[in-house]
Amino acid sequence: MNSEFIIAVHSLVLLAHRPEGTASSEEIATNVCTHPARIRKVLGCLRKEGFVATREGSGGGYTLIKEPEEVTLADVYRAMAAGSLAPSWCSGNPEMECMVGSNMQDVMNSVFCGADQQLEQYFSQITIGSMLAQIRERQNA
Amino acid sequence: MNSEFIIAVHSLVLLAHRPEGTASSEEIATNVCTHPARIRKVLGCLRKEGFVATREGSGGGYTLIKEPEEVTLADVYRAMAAGSLAPSWCSGNPEMECMVGSNMQDVMNSVFCGADQQLEQYFSQITIGSMLAQIRERQNA
DNA sequence: CTAACTGTAATTGATAATATTACAGTAACG
DNA sequence: CGTTACTGTAATATTATCAATTACAGTTAG
C-alpha cells in the first residue's frame, strides 16, 4: 500500500477534528510525523480531487470542504493509490514459448484487478468521520 | 503486495502443469524470469508450509504434493505475505499529545487488519487449479 | 567419486521511498 | 508599500528496500 494514502487519511481526519476544519502544512506535518513539503504534495492532490480547499499566503492552509461522514476511504484510495496492490515486479514473459510462463502476467493481472475492487469495496464502508469516532472512543477508554 | 507471493503462485501453477508435478529450481527460474537462488528460497518456504516436497541431490527438484484445486491463493497468501498490505511507513506517534496523532497508528492498523481479511477472503475463491484453467482457456482463444 | 541438485547466507547493484533544501508565487496585515 | 507567513513545485540528497548474483556446504543418484 502506498504510504501517501495513509498521509491523506491522517490529514483528513486531523482536519475533521479541528473546529474550523483548517490547518497549515506544518501543523499537519508535525502531527503525521513527516516533512511539510510532503504534506503539501499530498494535500495538493486532495485539493485537485475536491476534498480540501487551500489558501495561500499568510494565515493560509488547508480546509476540509466535505462532510467527514461522507468521505469514504475508497474515495481517498481512488484518488491516491488505485491499482497499487499489484507489485511492480512481474513474473513470466509473454514472449516465451511455455504456455504458463507466457500467460502468467495477464492472469496475475486479472487476479490483482479483482483484489483491488474487493479492497475498494471494503474501504467504502469506512469514512473519515467513523475513523475520528474510533479515535475518540479509544481516547475515552 | 509481496512479489514472493507472485513467485510462489507462478511456481505452483507451473508444477501443477507438469505431468509429474516436478521441476528443478533452474527450470522454474527460467519460467518465472528470476534467479534460481530466489526460487529455492521461496519454494523452501512452500515446503515448510506443506505445499511441495523437495529432493536434494542429482535429479532432485520440487514436487507439488497437493491437489491444484485444493490450494487456494489465500493459503499461499497466508504462507508468504500475510499482513503485507500495510506499508512499513507509519503516521503519527503514540507519544504525542494530540488525540489524533497519538491514536492514528492503532486505528490505521485495525483498518489494515480488516483489509487483509477481506483480501484473504477474495483469494480463498481462487485456486492454483483455476488459474491453470484460465491459462489454458487463454491459450485456446 | 562425480555430476546435478537443494539450502542458505553474504555481497553487490539497482530502484524506490523519504527527507531536505530552495525558491517563486500569493495573500494578510501593519 | 514591505514584511511575514503561507502554498506550489522541483531538484537534490539520503535511506531503505528489493532483486540479482556469487559462493559454498550438504545431499543423492548413478
Side-chain angles (χ1 to χ4, degrees), chain B residues 77-90:
Chain B
Y77 181 74
R78 272 189 292 271
M80 304 301 301
S84 70
L85 236 186
S88 52
W89 197 88
C90 240

Side-chain angles (χ1 to χ4, degrees), chain A residues 70-140:
Chain A
E70 283 166 12
V71 179
T72 73
L73 295 203
D75 298 329
V76 181
Y77 182 73
R78 272 188 292 271
M80 305 300 301
S84 69
L85 236 185
S88 51
W89 197 88
C90 241
S91 92
N93 178 351
E95 305 300 320
M96 68 175 41
E97 283 195 25
C98 170
M99 182 183 78
V100 174
S102 63
N103 287 293
M104 187 55 74
Q105 283 187 11
D106 280 347
V107 172
M108 200 66 85
N109 196 53
S110 78
V111 167
F112 280 113
C113 279
D116 220 63
Q117 283 180 279
Q118 198 72 12
L119 202 58
E120 220 176 287
Q121 199 205 313
Y122 166 74
F123 280 149
S124 72
Q125 298 162 356
I126 304 173
T127 69
I128 297 299
S130 73
M131 286 193 73
L132 186 55
Q134 258 185 272
I135 287 174
R136 289 194 169 124
E137 270 178 42
R138 261 165 212 272
Q139 192 68 6
N140 296 334

Side-chain angles (χ1 to χ4, degrees), chain B:
Chain B
M1 173 68 53
N2 201 328
S3 67
E4 296 195 344
F5 170 74
I6 290 186
I7 293 177
V9 170
H10 187 147
S11 301
L12 291 173
V13 171
L14 180 63
L15 290 178
H17 175 244
R18 292 290 178 97
E20 306 295 325
T22 296
S24 72
S25 65
E26 198 169 330
E27 290 173 300
I28 300 172
T30 301
N31 204 267
V32 169
C33 296
T34 186
H35 206 274
R38 202 172 180 206
I39 296 296
R40 293 202 285 271
K41 190 174 168 227
V42 170
L43 269 72
C45 184
L46 290 180
R47 170 178 48 91
K48 283 170 196 156
E49 302 286 336
F51 295 95
V52 301
T54 72
R55 219 175 58 233
E56 298 184 15
S58 179
Y62 301 89
T63 308
L64 184 63
I65 56 174
K66 289 199 172 180
E67 285 304 315
E69 289 75 21
E70 282 166 13
V71 179
T72 73
L73 295 203
D75 298 329
V76 181
Y77 181 74
R78 272 189 292 271
M80 304 301 301
S84 70
L85 236 186
S88 52
W89 197 88
C90 240
S91 92
N93 178 351
E95 305 301 319
M96 69 175 41
E97 283 196 23
C98 170
M99 182 183 78
V100 174
S102 62
N103 287 293
M104 187 56 74
Q105 283 189 10
D106 280 347
V107 172
M108 200 66 86
N109 195 53
S110 78
V111 167
F112 280 113
C113 279
D116 220 63
Q117 282 179 283
Q118 196 73 12
L119 202 58
E120 221 177 285
Q121 199 204 314
Y122 166 74
F123 280 149
S124 73
Q125 297 162 356
I126 304 173
T127 68
I128 297 300
S130 73
M131 286 192 73
L132 186 55
Q134 258 186 271
I135 287 175
R136 289 192 168 125
E137 270 178 43
R138 262 165 210 272
Q139 192 69 7
N140 296 334

